[in-house]
Amino acid sequence: MTTPSIAHTRAELVGLVRRRADSHSRSLVLVPTMGALHAGHAGLIDLARARGDQLVVSVFVNPLQFGPGEDLDRYPRTFDADLALCADHDVDVVFAPAVDEVYPGGQPQVVVEPGPLGTVLEGASRPGHYRGVLTVVAKLFGLVGPDAAVFGEKDYQQLVLIRRMVDDLCMPVEVVGGETVRERDGLALSSRNRFLSPAERTQALVLSRALRAGQLAQSSGTDAVRQEARAVLDATSGLELDYLALTDEALGPAPPHGPARLLVAARVGGTRLIDNVPLHLGS
Ligand code: PAF
């Protein structure tokens, strides 16, 4: 267990992280988060720890990625518990800036546009969301200067878009995806799960069950996957389905054979949940 150093400002961060020019041998890995850390984040941090000599976790609830009427104000903020988790997982530096440290001039005039992939699935329901995500991730890359950064597969579209940004903008950062961590009953861990009442939590389980049903049908092809997953969702009340989508790994049309992704989003009570699983279609 290491007590992490804490940086709230850019100047403090500069004093704590090694700069690229200082060392050719040590690698710096960043795990960007919005705090409210749970075992899913711990998995990402452990993955990062195994890849780098210096490990930075950022904790920043990014207003730019929340739309009007979304849950920015009630997004859980649990900094002391986040620090304790970081200490347990040997994080070297926690970067926890205030909003005006990240956006000193208010709304930035130059932003990262995600392109067409930012307007489908999550992007269709949350216009501007991925512009906010990519802009803050680009800023964090600029501020921290990591060699690698770890993101969860739970927001699979986010991971695909960040990979795309890094490729398209030639950012010298390796993007590493970490598998979704689930409760024993299948519920994907999420900072928003704490908003679910016990009854809603039970309803929420249908998301992972539907994905599992789709996965079990993967050898029978795309139609079977969609039908099996849809049947599970249709059999449940109290769930407001946003989308069930079967895609290729880059979120394009699903191939008849080969690697694919099955993604789902739904509102349970007042809480919007997302989940996804990998598949291999066809025999
Ligand atoms: O996945 C998240 O927690 C956020 O979208 C991220 C990547 C930290 C950017 O604010």
Side-chain angles (χ1 to χ4, degrees):
M1 178 166 144
T2 324
T3 305
S5 305
I6 303 173
H8 290 294
T9 64
R10 296 173 183 220
E12 287 167 355
L13 183 69
V14 169
L16 289 172
V17 297
R18 73 102 179 96
R19 310 313 292 177
R20 253 173 227 290
D22 293 348
S23 160
H24 297 293
S25 57
R26 298 188 73 211
S27 61
L28 197 167
V29 185
L30 170 67
V31 183
T33 80
M34 297 208 300
L37 303 183
H38 49 63
H41 295 108
L44 302 181
I45 291 170
D46 291 345
L47 193 59
R49 180 76 280 168
R51 298 182 81 95
D53 303 307
Q54 195 176 25
L55 172 51
V56 179
V57 170
S58 61
V59 174
F60 178 63
V61 182
N62 172 35
L64 211 63
Q65 70 190 71
F66 289 79
E70 290 191 350
D71 56 356
L72 172 62
D73 291 338
R74 73 168 190 147
Y75 197 85
R77 285 152 171 97
T78 59
F79 191 60
D80 290 345
D82 294 346
L83 269 187
L85 185 143
C86 287
D88 282 349
H89 290 266
D90 287 337
V91 172
D92 298 300
V93 178
V94 172
F95 178 43
V99 172
D100 56 6
E101 193 67 29
V102 177
Y103 300 113
Q107 289 269 337
Q109 293 195 13
V110 176
V111 293
V112 182
E113 280 298 339
L117 208 53
T119 62
V120 297
L121 303 172
E122 283 306 286
S125 296
R126 307 185 64 189
H129 171 65
Y130 286 118
R131 180 191 309 125
V133 170
L134 294 189
T135 301
V136 82
V137 170
K139 271 178 167 273
L140 290 169
F141 286 178
L143 288 165
V144 178
D147 299 294
V150 180
F151 298 86
E153 287 185 355
K154 184 167 158 291
D155 189 339
Y156 187 73
Q157 189 173 2
Q158 168 173 282
L159 178 62
V160 169
L161 278 166
I162 290 168
R163 287 208 163 109
R164 190 70 206 238
M165 171 179 78
V166 162
D167 280 354
D168 285 356
L169 302 182
C170 306
M171 294 175 165
V173 180
E174 182 193 357
V175 176
V176 179
E179 275 180 28
T180 302
V181 177
R182 297 178 182 280
E183 305 269 15
R184 287 166 69 93
D185 57 12
L187 185 71
L189 294 193
S190 161
S191 303
R192 291 186 169 98
N193 287 353
R194 68 191 72 201
F195 296 141
L196 300 170
S197 68
E200 288 168 348
R201 193 191 172 289
T202 305
Q203 285 169 338
L205 282 177
V206 79
L207 297 189
S208 52
R209 284 210 200 104
L211 295 177
R212 184 76 196 120
Q215 237 174 359
L216 289 172
Q218 60 192 342
S219 59
S220 308
T222 55
D223 288 349
V225 168
R226 289 192 188 95
Q227 276 159 21
E228 292 300 317
R230 188 74 211 207
V232 174
L233 294 166
D234 287 347
T236 309
S237 59
L239 191 87
E240 200 186 311
L241 182 66
D242 184 350
Y243 60 78
L244 172 71
L246 181 60
T247 71
D248 69 7
E249 285 181 310
L251 298 177
H257 302 279
R261 210 84 194 179
L262 184 61
L263 307 100
V264 68
R267 189 169 284 281
V268 182
T271 308
R272 191 158 190 289
L273 298 174
I274 57 174
D275 198 356
N276 70 86
V277 288
L279 305 165
H280 195 94
L281 293 167
S283 46

